Amino acid sequence: MRIAVCIKQVPDTEARLRVRKDGLWVEEEDLPFVINESDNYALEEALTIAEKTAGEVVVVSLGPERVKDALRKALALGASRAVHLAEEAFQGGDALATGRALAAAIAGQEVDLVLTGSQSDDVGYGATGSVIAGHLGWPHAWLVMGLEIEEGGTSARVTREMESGMNEIFRLQLPAVIEVQAGINHPRYASLKGIMAAKRKPIERPSPADLGLEASQIGAAGSRLEVLEVAFPDSGEGAEMLEGDAATMARTLVEKLQREARVL
Amino acid sequence: MSGETYQRYFGSQHRLVRETVRSFVRDEILPHVDAWEEAGSFPRRLYRRAAELGILGVGYPETCGGVGGDVFTGIAVAEELTGSGSGGLVAGLGSHHIALPPIVRHGSDEQKRRFVAPVLAGERIAALAVTEPDAGSDVAGLRTTAVRDGEAYVVNGSKSFITSGCRADQVTVAVRTGGPGAAGISLLVVEAGTPGYSTSPPMKKMGWWASDTAQLFFDDCRVPVANRIGPENAGFKLLMENFQSERLQMVVIANATARLALDEALRYAAERRAFGRPLADFQVIRHRLADMATEVTISREFAYRVAAKIQAGVDQVMEVSMAKSFAAAVCERVTHAAVQIFGGYGYVREYPVERLFRDGRILSIGGGTSEIMKEIIAKRLLAEDEK
């Protein structure tokens, strides 16, 4: 089975963010970047399926040069090759433009399944996977907590997390786009052998024209959404420091949760 | 970032290596390390696991079962492993780094198949045995004899302070096959279970508790001639070659240990309050922290520089000796200062600086004492080598 995994490189969630001077994004200089958390789980899921089916994993990402590090890591973990949409024209898009470009890149790979994380840890639109599925015309599942490829490899049994703690279990026909949640598996570490081998694995860098895309369909030019500003919310008021020993503070806290916050 | 370039020792591949080793330490070592230290040993399966991740194979060619990697890959691995806070574990898990290089460099293909690949696969533990009860720094004075008898050497004598000695499956042993002095020494690989070979119980040490350290005994122990590494009586040169990488390894451990102690001290000084303010507000503590950080940084930067030259194939015998005696001294001063900042808490085992202080002490002794390092430096300075 050939599986494409879409990954996004995002700022490390533990890093301290500063708003960039133009107010449209965060300052990226000196910011540590990592593979988006739920994408790590998607990659692990794909590697496991590929191992069971003697298949291969192609990892796909859209983003600037720094994204190469994330792709190398995915190759070190066991993906066999990578596609990097690195050209300037691809950059700065909303979910619609990014999803369109990723779908075009995937369409040329003849894959049986697309896996990705349910949402990114930076902007968190949670929409790119749906857009990819729409462009490919494939079935799609979001917030997936369990995935099993069924006998014959033509369908998958998917467990989704619903509201109020219930699960929804259904079957979908492959090829499909499946967006997983963090926690679905235990992502492996990259072995040092894998890290050394990753150097020799290919990273393809198609241009928009290679994918049959016009510059107007992708990146900032192809977006229907325009970011006006990113900002930290004003810090709220009303924080109250409890005083006294642990027992007193616990008692006061319970009282306040019952009477004032009414959550207990 | 400025437009000027300067030499960066680590790249993105090293960062990935660090990430893997750090996760391994965080998930599979740190939860158990205190218990292993107290027990004086860590489980054998850790070798297997480290091998799976490729950690044991760094710096060894793929043809021997290694994963390759440059000098800085080895440094990244050693620094991250030292993050476990257990020098003993690092030494024990890495005892093959002193046992295998002579075999990799001078062994036959058959010897590499038998003695290198299974160790890098985590299936066998390897140790190096040079030091004797009466010959430590004076390597050329070793007395364990190996007398040729047909297709075997009959080995008699004993070895002391051997890391991984108790449970090693194979030991690279320096023996006297010829006359007195450096010209009569050979290296033999002795396998555990060979009749006449035995080990002491683990020695009780000041530090490095998690590593087993033993005395080895050879009593008419017959070792096949096929287990000799390189030509007969050429062992001294092989050992000297080996010292450069062993010393660099010790330098890295010393610097990483000092760095850990500094980090602990910084954290504690910010948290702990005395006379109504954090320790970090007292000038005496601030200046001590500044001195510690300065020494740690200088020692580490020098070590990287030496490593870069080793990587480039430049002779660094004198410089690596400087780095070792300097780093060991820095490590002692910094871990000592960290304990002092922790006060009474620094003296109890519950806090990591207590262990770092004990573990640091061996670094000016093992792999060549600081006194020997200074002799090497002086010899080079005075151009006595050629005499």
Side-chain angles (χ1 to χ4, degrees), chain A residues 1-7 42-43 45-46 49 57-58 60 102-103 105-107 109-117 128-130 132-133 136 138-141 144 147 149 172-180:
Chain A
M1 196 166 226
R2 183 179 294 152
I3 307 160
V5 179
C6 298
I7 63 170
L43 180 59
E45 204 63 19
I49 296 169
V57 173
V58 184
V60 186
L102 289 170
I106 291 163
Q109 299 292 331
E110 295 180 10
V111 300
D112 307 294
L113 175 65
V114 176
L115 284 172
T116 188
T128 310
S130 318
I132 295 171
L136 294 170
W138 292 356
H140 166 252
V144 169
L147 169 63
I149 304 299
L172 46 71
Q173 298 304 310
L174 299 184
V177 179
I178 293 176
E179 296 185 72
V180 306

mmCIF file of all heavy atoms in Angstrom, chain A residues 1-7 42-43 45-46 49 57-58 60 102-103 105-107 109-117 128-130 132-133 136 138-141 144 147 149 172-180:
data_model
loop_
_atom_site.group_PDB
_atom_site.id
_atom_site.type_symbol
_atom_site.label_atom_id
_atom_site.label_comp_id
_atom_site.label_asym_id
_atom_site.label_seq_id
_atom_site.Cartn_x
_atom_site.Cartn_y
_atom_site.Cartn_z
ATOM 1 N N MET A 1 0.836 -1.195 0.000
ATOM 2 C CA MET A 1 0.000 0.000 0.000
ATOM 3 C C MET A 1 0.880 1.258 0.000
ATOM 4 O O MET A 1 1.813 1.353 0.788
ATOM 5 C CB MET A 1 -0.833 -0.021 1.288
ATOM 6 C CG MET A 1 -1.986 0.909 1.263
ATOM 7 S SD MET A 1 -3.078 0.488 2.639
ATOM 8 C CE MET A 1 -4.617 0.522 1.822
ATOM 9 N N ARG A 2 0.557 2.194 -0.886
ATOM 10 C CA ARG A 2 1.332 3.437 -0.895
ATOM 11 C C ARG A 2 0.518 4.517 -0.187
ATOM 12 O O ARG A 2 -0.641 4.747 -0.521
ATOM 13 C CB ARG A 2 1.669 3.861 -2.322
ATOM 14 C CG ARG A 2 2.542 5.120 -2.333
ATOM 15 C CD ARG A 2 2.905 5.554 -3.730
ATOM 16 N NE ARG A 2 3.765 4.579 -4.372
ATOM 17 C CZ ARG A 2 3.818 4.396 -5.688
ATOM 18 N NH1 ARG A 2 3.045 5.112 -6.474
ATOM 19 N NH2 ARG A 2 4.624 3.512 -6.207
ATOM 20 N N ILE A 3 1.138 5.131 0.799
ATOM 21 C CA ILE A 3 0.424 6.098 1.634
ATOM 22 C C ILE A 3 1.132 7.446 1.572
ATOM 23 O O ILE A 3 2.351 7.521 1.751
ATOM 24 C CB ILE A 3 0.391 5.618 3.105
ATOM 25 C CG1 ILE A 3 -0.172 4.191 3.167
ATOM 26 C CG2 ILE A 3 -0.426 6.569 3.973
ATOM 27 C CD1 ILE A 3 0.176 3.464 4.433
ATOM 28 N N ALA A 4 0.354 8.494 1.324
ATOM 29 C CA ALA A 4 0.921 9.840 1.418
ATOM 30 C C ALA A 4 0.581 10.398 2.794
ATOM 31 O O ALA A 4 -0.541 10.233 3.275
ATOM 32 C CB ALA A 4 0.334 10.740 0.338
ATOM 33 N N VAL A 5 1.574 11.002 3.429
ATOM 34 C CA VAL A 5 1.321 11.653 4.708
ATOM 35 C C VAL A 5 1.634 13.133 4.553
ATOM 36 O O VAL A 5 2.742 13.499 4.162
ATOM 37 C CB VAL A 5 2.186 11.048 5.831
ATOM 38 C CG1 VAL A 5 1.921 11.759 7.152
ATOM 39 C CG2 VAL A 5 1.926 9.563 5.968
ATOM 40 N N CYS A 6 0.636 13.967 4.851
ATOM 41 C CA CYS A 6 0.871 15.407 4.796
ATOM 42 C C CYS A 6 1.307 15.880 6.173
ATOM 43 O O CYS A 6 0.603 15.642 7.156
ATOM 44 C CB CYS A 6 -0.402 16.145 4.404
ATOM 45 S SG CYS A 6 -0.990 15.683 2.789
ATOM 46 N N ILE A 7 2.474 16.493 6.216
ATOM 47 C CA ILE A 7 2.930 17.013 7.500
ATOM 48 C C ILE A 7 3.116 18.523 7.393
ATOM 49 O O ILE A 7 3.352 19.064 6.321
ATOM 50 C CB ILE A 7 4.246 16.348 7.971
ATOM 51 C CG1 ILE A 7 5.400 16.642 7.009
ATOM 52 C CG2 ILE A 7 4.063 14.854 8.150
ATOM 53 C CD1 ILE A 7 6.754 16.216 7.544
ATOM 54 N N ALA A 42 0.016 10.611 12.541
ATOM 55 C CA ALA A 42 -0.389 10.185 11.191
ATOM 56 C C ALA A 42 0.767 9.444 10.519
ATOM 57 O O ALA A 42 0.582 8.398 9.883
ATOM 58 C CB ALA A 42 -0.794 11.398 10.369
ATOM 59 N N LEU A 43 1.975 9.982 10.701
ATOM 60 C CA LEU A 43 3.147 9.357 10.090
ATOM 61 C C LEU A 43 3.392 7.975 10.690
ATOM 62 O O LEU A 43 3.659 7.012 9.967
ATOM 63 C CB LEU A 43 4.368 10.271 10.298
ATOM 64 C CG LEU A 43 5.688 9.783 9.726
ATOM 65 C CD1 LEU A 43 5.593 9.562 8.221
ATOM 66 C CD2 LEU A 43 6.808 10.798 10.027
ATOM 67 N N GLU A 45 1.214 6.001 12.045
ATOM 68 C CA GLU A 45 0.142 5.127 11.561
ATOM 69 C C GLU A 45 0.488 4.639 10.145
ATOM 70 O O GLU A 45 0.364 3.463 9.833
ATOM 71 C CB GLU A 45 -1.170 5.933 11.559
ATOM 72 C CG GLU A 45 -2.428 5.112 11.648
ATOM 73 C CD GLU A 45 -2.565 4.306 12.941
ATOM 74 O OE1 GLU A 45 -1.881 4.628 13.938
ATOM 75 O OE2 GLU A 45 -3.332 3.328 12.925
ATOM 76 N N ALA A 46 0.940 5.559 9.310
ATOM 77 C CA ALA A 46 1.283 5.218 7.927
ATOM 78 C C ALA A 46 2.462 4.241 7.877
ATOM 79 O O ALA A 46 2.436 3.274 7.105
ATOM 80 C CB ALA A 46 1.625 6.492 7.148
ATOM 81 N N ILE A 49 1.269 0.770 8.809
ATOM 82 C CA ILE A 49 0.490 0.131 7.735
ATOM 83 C C ILE A 49 1.438 -0.286 6.593
ATOM 84 O O ILE A 49 1.336 -1.388 6.056
ATOM 85 C CB ILE A 49 -0.601 1.087 7.204
ATOM 86 C CG1 ILE A 49 -1.615 1.399 8.311
ATOM 87 C CG2 ILE A 49 -1.318 0.472 5.992
ATOM 88 C CD1 ILE A 49 -2.569 2.533 7.969
ATOM 89 N N VAL A 57 5.780 4.877 2.234
ATOM 90 C CA VAL A 57 5.206 6.131 2.695
ATOM 91 C C VAL A 57 5.886 7.282 1.967
ATOM 92 O O VAL A 57 7.112 7.347 1.902
ATOM 93 C CB VAL A 57 5.392 6.283 4.219
ATOM 94 C CG1 VAL A 57 4.947 7.670 4.682
ATOM 95 C CG2 VAL A 57 4.631 5.191 4.964
ATOM 96 N N VAL A 58 5.063 8.154 1.389
ATOM 97 C CA VAL A 58 5.576 9.375 0.747
ATOM 98 C C VAL A 58 5.120 10.529 1.623
ATOM 99 O O VAL A 58 3.938 10.655 1.921
ATOM 100 C CB VAL A 58 4.973 9.560 -0.663
ATOM 101 C CG1 VAL A 58 5.600 10.767 -1.340
ATOM 102 C CG2 VAL A 58 5.145 8.304 -1.485
ATOM 103 N N VAL A 60 4.614 14.529 2.360
ATOM 104 C CA VAL A 60 4.387 15.734 1.558
ATOM 105 C C VAL A 60 4.245 16.933 2.490
ATOM 106 O O VAL A 60 3.551 16.844 3.509
ATOM 107 C CB VAL A 60 3.078 15.589 0.726
ATOM 108 C CG1 VAL A 60 2.926 16.770 -0.225
ATOM 109 C CG2 VAL A 60 3.065 14.276 -0.037
ATOM 110 N N LEU A 102 -1.593 20.767 -2.184
ATOM 111 C CA LEU A 102 -1.246 19.440 -1.653
ATOM 112 C C LEU A 102 -1.984 18.348 -2.426
ATOM 113 O O LEU A 102 -1.403 17.297 -2.743
ATOM 114 C CB LEU A 102 -1.579 19.354 -0.158
ATOM 115 C CG LEU A 102 -0.659 20.169 0.772
ATOM 116 C CD1 LEU A 102 -1.239 20.212 2.185
ATOM 117 C CD2 LEU A 102 0.759 19.585 0.801
ATOM 118 N N ALA A 103 -3.257 18.587 -2.732
ATOM 119 C CA ALA A 103 -4.043 17.595 -3.485
ATOM 120 C C ALA A 103 -3.409 17.343 -4.851
ATOM 121 O O ALA A 103 -3.299 16.199 -5.308
ATOM 122 C CB ALA A 103 -5.484 18.068 -3.639
ATOM 123 N N ALA A 105 -0.281 17.707 -5.613
ATOM 124 C CA ALA A 105 0.966 16.958 -5.420
ATOM 125 C C ALA A 105 0.678 15.484 -5.157
ATOM 126 O O ALA A 105 1.376 14.599 -5.659
ATOM 127 C CB ALA A 105 1.761 17.550 -4.255
ATOM 128 N N ILE A 106 -0.372 15.219 -4.397
ATOM 129 C CA ILE A 106 -0.726 13.834 -4.060
ATOM 130 C C ILE A 106 -1.275 13.101 -5.280
ATOM 131 O O ILE A 106 -0.995 11.918 -5.489
ATOM 132 C CB ILE A 106 -1.757 13.825 -2.904
ATOM 133 C CG1 ILE A 106 -1.083 14.293 -1.613
ATOM 134 C CG2 ILE A 106 -2.359 12.441 -2.715
ATOM 135 C CD1 ILE A 106 -2.058 14.712 -0.529
ATOM 136 N N ALA A 107 -2.030 13.826 -6.100
ATOM 137 C CA ALA A 107 -2.670 13.199 -7.268
ATOM 138 C C ALA A 107 -1.643 12.526 -8.167
ATOM 139 O O ALA A 107 -1.914 11.496 -8.778
ATOM 140 C CB ALA A 107 -3.454 14.249 -8.046
ATOM 141 N N GLN A 109 0.984 10.962 -7.247
ATOM 142 C CA GLN A 109 1.753 9.939 -6.536
ATOM 143 C C GLN A 109 1.110 8.555 -6.540
ATOM 144 O O GLN A 109 1.687 7.600 -6.021
ATOM 145 C CB GLN A 109 1.993 10.378 -5.071
ATOM 146 C CG GLN A 109 2.775 11.672 -4.923
ATOM 147 C CD GLN A 109 4.224 11.528 -5.365
ATOM 148 O OE1 GLN A 109 4.806 10.452 -5.276
ATOM 149 N NE2 GLN A 109 4.794 12.610 -5.866
ATOM 150 N N GLU A 110 -0.100 8.462 -7.092
ATOM 151 C CA GLU A 110 -0.819 7.181 -7.137
ATOM 152 C C GLU A 110 -0.853 6.483 -5.797
ATOM 153 O O GLU A 110 -0.361 5.368 -5.627
ATOM 154 C CB GLU A 110 -0.186 6.262 -8.190
ATOM 155 C CG GLU A 110 -0.335 6.825 -9.588
ATOM 156 C CD GLU A 110 0.292 5.927 -10.645
ATOM 157 O OE1 GLU A 110 0.673 4.783 -10.317
ATOM 158 O OE2 GLU A 110 0.378 6.388 -11.795
ATOM 159 N N VAL A 111 -1.442 7.155 -4.817
ATOM 160 C CA VAL A 111 -1.483 6.566 -3.475
ATOM 161 C C VAL A 111 -2.842 5.931 -3.194
ATOM 162 O O VAL A 111 -3.844 6.257 -3.832
ATOM 163 C CB VAL A 111 -1.164 7.613 -2.389
ATOM 164 C CG1 VAL A 111 0.219 8.182 -2.593
ATOM 165 C CG2 VAL A 111 -2.205 8.726 -2.343
ATOM 166 N N ASP A 112 -2.852 5.016 -2.215
ATOM 167 C CA ASP A 112 -4.073 4.330 -1.817
ATOM 168 C C ASP A 112 -4.739 5.004 -0.625
ATOM 169 O O ASP A 112 -5.865 4.692 -0.269
ATOM 170 C CB ASP A 112 -3.744 2.887 -1.429
ATOM 171 C CG ASP A 112 -2.973 2.174 -2.515
ATOM 172 O OD1 ASP A 112 -3.564 1.965 -3.584
ATOM 173 O OD2 ASP A 112 -1.778 1.863 -2.305
ATOM 174 N N LEU A 113 -3.970 5.868 0.037
ATOM 175 C CA LEU A 113 -4.470 6.453 1.282
ATOM 176 C C LEU A 113 -3.684 7.724 1.567
ATOM 177 O O LEU A 113 -2.483 7.785 1.298
ATOM 178 C CB LEU A 113 -4.251 5.434 2.419
ATOM 179 C CG LEU A 113 -4.588 5.829 3.850
ATOM 180 C CD1 LEU A 113 -6.094 6.073 4.000
ATOM 181 C CD2 LEU A 113 -4.159 4.719 4.817
ATOM 182 N N VAL A 114 -4.396 8.729 2.090
ATOM 183 C CA VAL A 114 -3.715 9.941 2.566
ATOM 184 C C VAL A 114 -3.972 10.048 4.055
ATOM 185 O O VAL A 114 -5.115 9.951 4.506
ATOM 186 C CB VAL A 114 -4.243 11.216 1.866
ATOM 187 C CG1 VAL A 114 -3.569 12.456 2.454
ATOM 188 C CG2 VAL A 114 -4.013 11.136 0.370
ATOM 189 N N LEU A 115 -2.901 10.200 4.821
ATOM 190 C CA LEU A 115 -3.053 10.403 6.259
ATOM 191 C C LEU A 115 -2.480 11.753 6.626
ATOM 192 O O LEU A 115 -1.477 12.196 6.056
ATOM 193 C CB LEU A 115 -2.296 9.308 7.029
ATOM 194 C CG LEU A 115 -2.944 7.932 7.090
ATOM 195 C CD1 LEU A 115 -1.991 6.919 7.699
ATOM 196 C CD2 LEU A 115 -4.231 7.989 7.907
ATOM 197 N N THR A 116 -3.128 12.385 7.594
ATOM 198 C CA THR A 116 -2.578 13.628 8.120
ATOM 199 C C THR A 116 -3.146 13.856 9.512
ATOM 200 O O THR A 116 -4.040 13.137 9.958
ATOM 201 C CB THR A 116 -2.871 14.816 7.165
ATOM 202 O OG1 THR A 116 -2.164 15.957 7.630
ATOM 203 C CG2 THR A 116 -4.348 15.125 7.073
ATOM 204 N N GLY A 117 -2.593 14.835 10.221
ATOM 205 C CA GLY A 117 -3.116 15.159 11.543
ATOM 206 C C GLY A 117 -4.408 15.942 11.416
ATOM 207 O O GLY A 117 -4.687 16.539 10.368
ATOM 208 N N THR A 128 -7.548 21.762 6.154
ATOM 209 C CA THR A 128 -6.755 21.422 4.980
ATOM 210 C C THR A 128 -7.048 20.004 4.478
ATOM 211 O O THR A 128 -7.153 19.771 3.278
ATOM 212 C CB THR A 128 -5.256 21.608 5.296
ATOM 213 O OG1 THR A 128 -5.087 22.913 5.871
ATOM 214 C CG2 THR A 128 -4.409 21.491 4.050
ATOM 215 N N GLY A 129 -7.202 19.061 5.406
ATOM 216 C CA GLY A 129 -7.497 17.673 5.023
ATOM 217 C C GLY A 129 -8.799 17.576 4.248
ATOM 218 O O GLY A 129 -8.891 16.848 3.247
ATOM 219 N N SER A 130 -9.812 18.312 4.711
ATOM 220 C CA SER A 130 -11.114 18.280 4.021
ATOM 221 C C SER A 130 -10.970 18.820 2.606
ATOM 222 O O SER A 130 -11.560 18.294 1.663
ATOM 223 C CB SER A 130 -12.137 19.150 4.757
ATOM 224 O OG SER A 130 -12.027 18.982 6.138
ATOM 225 N N ILE A 132 -8.279 18.796 0.754
ATOM 226 C CA ILE A 132 -7.563 17.801 -0.056
ATOM 227 C C ILE A 132 -8.546 16.728 -0.540
ATOM 228 O O ILE A 132 -8.585 16.378 -1.729
ATOM 229 C CB ILE A 132 -6.420 17.143 0.758
ATOM 230 C CG1 ILE A 132 -5.346 18.188 1.115
ATOM 231 C CG2 ILE A 132 -5.793 15.977 -0.010
ATOM 232 C CD1 ILE A 132 -4.287 17.686 2.093
ATOM 233 N N ALA A 133 -9.366 16.227 0.389
ATOM 234 C CA ALA A 133 -10.331 15.179 0.032
ATOM 235 C C ALA A 133 -11.296 15.689 -1.035
ATOM 236 O O ALA A 133 -11.627 14.971 -1.978
ATOM 237 C CB ALA A 133 -11.089 14.722 1.283
ATOM 238 N N LEU A 136 -9.605 15.758 -4.412
ATOM 239 C CA LEU A 136 -9.352 14.415 -4.958
ATOM 240 C C LEU A 136 -10.659 13.669 -5.213
ATOM 241 O O LEU A 136 -10.669 12.659 -5.905
ATOM 242 C CB LEU A 136 -8.458 13.624 -3.987
ATOM 243 C CG LEU A 136 -7.025 14.159 -3.797
ATOM 244 C CD1 LEU A 136 -6.336 13.433 -2.642
ATOM 245 C CD2 LEU A 136 -6.214 14.005 -5.082
ATOM 246 N N TRP A 138 -12.322 12.121 -2.837
ATOM 247 C CA TRP A 138 -12.228 10.907 -2.032
ATOM 248 C C TRP A 138 -12.992 11.062 -0.717
ATOM 249 O O TRP A 138 -13.144 12.179 -0.213
ATOM 250 C CB TRP A 138 -10.751 10.622 -1.680
ATOM 251 C CG TRP A 138 -9.898 10.243 -2.861
ATOM 252 C CD1 TRP A 138 -10.305 10.053 -4.149
ATOM 253 C CD2 TRP A 138 -8.484 10.044 -2.840
ATOM 254 N NE1 TRP A 138 -9.240 9.732 -4.947
ATOM 255 C CE2 TRP A 138 -8.108 9.715 -4.170
ATOM 256 C CE3 TRP A 138 -7.503 10.091 -1.861
ATOM 257 C CZ2 TRP A 138 -6.783 9.441 -4.518
ATOM 258 C CZ3 TRP A 138 -6.188 9.822 -2.198
ATOM 259 C CH2 TRP A 138 -5.836 9.496 -3.518
ATOM 260 N N PRO A 139 -13.426 9.924 -0.147
ATOM 261 C CA PRO A 139 -14.040 10.005 1.182
ATOM 262 C C PRO A 139 -13.043 10.503 2.225
ATOM 263 O O PRO A 139 -11.834 10.415 2.032
ATOM 264 C CB PRO A 139 -14.483 8.570 1.473
ATOM 265 C CG PRO A 139 -13.773 7.718 0.500
ATOM 266 C CD PRO A 139 -13.394 8.562 -0.671
ATOM 267 N N HIS A 140 -13.579 10.977 3.324
ATOM 268 C CA HIS A 140 -12.750 11.699 4.277
ATOM 269 C C HIS A 140 -13.250 11.464 5.699
ATOM 270 O O HIS A 140 -14.453 11.384 5.936
ATOM 271 C CB HIS A 140 -12.832 13.187 3.910
ATOM 272 C CG HIS A 140 -12.328 14.102 4.963
ATOM 273 N ND1 HIS A 140 -13.163 14.889 5.708
ATOM 274 C CD2 HIS A 140 -11.070 14.353 5.387
ATOM 275 C CE1 HIS A 140 -12.430 15.596 6.565
ATOM 276 N NE2 HIS A 140 -11.171 15.292 6.383
ATOM 277 N N ALA A 141 -12.327 11.341 6.635
ATOM 278 C CA ALA A 141 -12.734 11.249 8.044
ATOM 279 C C ALA A 141 -11.803 12.123 8.876
ATOM 280 O O ALA A 141 -10.603 12.176 8.631
ATOM 281 C CB ALA A 141 -12.663 9.800 8.519
ATOM 282 N N VAL A 144 -9.894 11.103 13.812
ATOM 283 C CA VAL A 144 -9.875 9.644 13.855
ATOM 284 C C VAL A 144 -9.008 9.140 15.005
ATOM 285 O O VAL A 144 -7.895 9.604 15.207
ATOM 286 C CB VAL A 144 -9.372 9.087 12.499
ATOM 287 C CG1 VAL A 144 -9.083 7.598 12.583
ATOM 288 C CG2 VAL A 144 -10.408 9.380 11.427
ATOM 289 N N LEU A 147 -7.802 3.176 13.385
ATOM 290 C CA LEU A 147 -7.798 2.934 11.947
ATOM 291 C C LEU A 147 -7.307 1.521 11.684
ATOM 292 O O LEU A 147 -6.296 1.090 12.232
ATOM 293 C CB LEU A 147 -6.855 3.949 11.269
ATOM 294 C CG LEU A 147 -6.505 3.695 9.795
ATOM 295 C CD1 LEU A 147 -7.748 3.779 8.928
ATOM 296 C CD2 LEU A 147 -5.472 4.714 9.328
ATOM 297 N N ILE A 149 -6.921 -1.156 8.345
ATOM 298 C CA ILE A 149 -7.106 -1.431 6.919
ATOM 299 C C ILE A 149 -7.706 -2.838 6.816
ATOM 300 O O ILE A 149 -7.183 -3.780 7.403
ATOM 301 C CB ILE A 149 -5.767 -1.372 6.159
ATOM 302 C CG1 ILE A 149 -5.087 -0.017 6.367
ATOM 303 C CG2 ILE A 149 -5.975 -1.676 4.674
ATOM 304 C CD1 ILE A 149 -5.870 1.179 5.879
ATOM 305 N N LEU A 172 -14.959 3.061 5.341
ATOM 306 C CA LEU A 172 -14.937 3.897 4.131
ATOM 307 C C LEU A 172 -14.084 3.245 3.058
ATOM 308 O O LEU A 172 -13.163 2.484 3.341
ATOM 309 C CB LEU A 172 -14.545 5.342 4.428
ATOM 310 C CG LEU A 172 -13.369 5.709 5.321
ATOM 311 C CD1 LEU A 172 -12.086 5.373 4.619
ATOM 312 C CD2 LEU A 172 -13.430 7.214 5.595
ATOM 313 N N GLN A 173 -14.424 3.545 1.837
ATOM 314 C CA GLN A 173 -13.738 2.952 0.692
ATOM 315 C C GLN A 173 -12.432 3.694 0.442
ATOM 316 O O GLN A 173 -12.348 4.907 0.583
ATOM 317 C CB GLN A 173 -14.617 3.026 -0.571
ATOM 318 C CG GLN A 173 -15.926 2.243 -0.458
ATOM 319 C CD GLN A 173 -15.702 0.769 -0.110
ATOM 320 O OE1 GLN A 173 -14.892 0.089 -0.744
ATOM 321 N NE2 GLN A 173 -16.415 0.276 0.902
ATOM 322 N N LEU A 174 -11.425 2.957 0.086
ATOM 323 C CA LEU A 174 -10.142 3.576 -0.253
ATOM 324 C C LEU A 174 -10.098 3.783 -1.778
ATOM 325 O O LEU A 174 -10.734 3.021 -2.508
ATOM 326 C CB LEU A 174 -9.001 2.675 0.199
ATOM 327 C CG LEU A 174 -8.944 2.418 1.700
ATOM 328 C CD1 LEU A 174 -7.711 1.583 2.035
ATOM 329 C CD2 LEU A 174 -8.940 3.712 2.493
ATOM 330 N N PRO A 175 -9.374 4.752 -2.269
ATOM 331 C CA PRO A 175 -8.552 5.704 -1.497
ATOM 332 C C PRO A 175 -9.393 6.708 -0.716
ATOM 333 O O PRO A 175 -10.508 7.029 -1.126
ATOM 334 C CB PRO A 175 -7.733 6.398 -2.588
ATOM 335 C CG PRO A 175 -8.563 6.293 -3.819
ATOM 336 C CD PRO A 175 -9.284 4.985 -3.719
ATOM 337 N N ALA A 176 -8.795 7.191 0.372
ATOM 338 C CA ALA A 176 -9.500 8.133 1.237
ATOM 339 C C ALA A 176 -8.489 9.045 1.923
ATOM 340 O O ALA A 176 -7.286 8.768 1.900
ATOM 341 C CB ALA A 176 -10.303 7.362 2.281
ATOM 342 N N VAL A 177 -9.013 10.118 2.490
ATOM 343 C CA VAL A 177 -8.179 11.021 3.297
ATOM 344 C C VAL A 177 -8.602 10.863 4.749
ATOM 345 O O VAL A 177 -9.783 11.050 5.069
ATOM 346 C CB VAL A 177 -8.342 12.492 2.855
ATOM 347 C CG1 VAL A 177 -7.492 13.409 3.735
ATOM 348 C CG2 VAL A 177 -7.968 12.658 1.383
ATOM 349 N N ILE A 178 -7.655 10.486 5.593
ATOM 350 C CA ILE A 178 -7.993 10.247 6.996
ATOM 351 C C ILE A 178 -7.133 11.140 7.883
ATOM 352 O O ILE A 178 -5.907 11.141 7.777
ATOM 353 C CB ILE A 178 -7.801 8.748 7.336
ATOM 354 C CG1 ILE A 178 -8.859 7.939 6.566
ATOM 355 C CG2 ILE A 178 -7.916 8.518 8.839
ATOM 356 C CD1 ILE A 178 -8.736 6.461 6.718
ATOM 357 N N GLU A 179 -7.812 11.902 8.723
ATOM 358 C CA GLU A 179 -7.099 12.823 9.617
ATOM 359 C C GLU A 179 -7.148 12.284 11.040
ATOM 360 O O GLU A 179 -8.229 12.130 11.612
ATOM 361 C CB GLU A 179 -7.759 14.198 9.556
ATOM 362 C CG GLU A 179 -7.663 14.825 8.181
ATOM 363 C CD GLU A 179 -8.231 16.238 8.201
ATOM 364 O OE1 GLU A 179 -7.577 17.107 8.779
ATOM 365 O OE2 GLU A 179 -9.324 16.431 7.668
ATOM 366 N N VAL A 180 -5.995 11.991 11.591
ATOM 367 C CA VAL A 180 -5.952 11.320 12.893
ATOM 368 C C VAL A 180 -5.731 12.341 14.018
ATOM 369 O O VAL A 180 -5.280 13.458 13.800
ATOM 370 C CB VAL A 180 -4.843 10.246 12.942
ATOM 371 C CG1 VAL A 180 -4.989 9.266 11.799
ATOM 372 C CG2 VAL A 180 -3.453 10.871 12.945
#
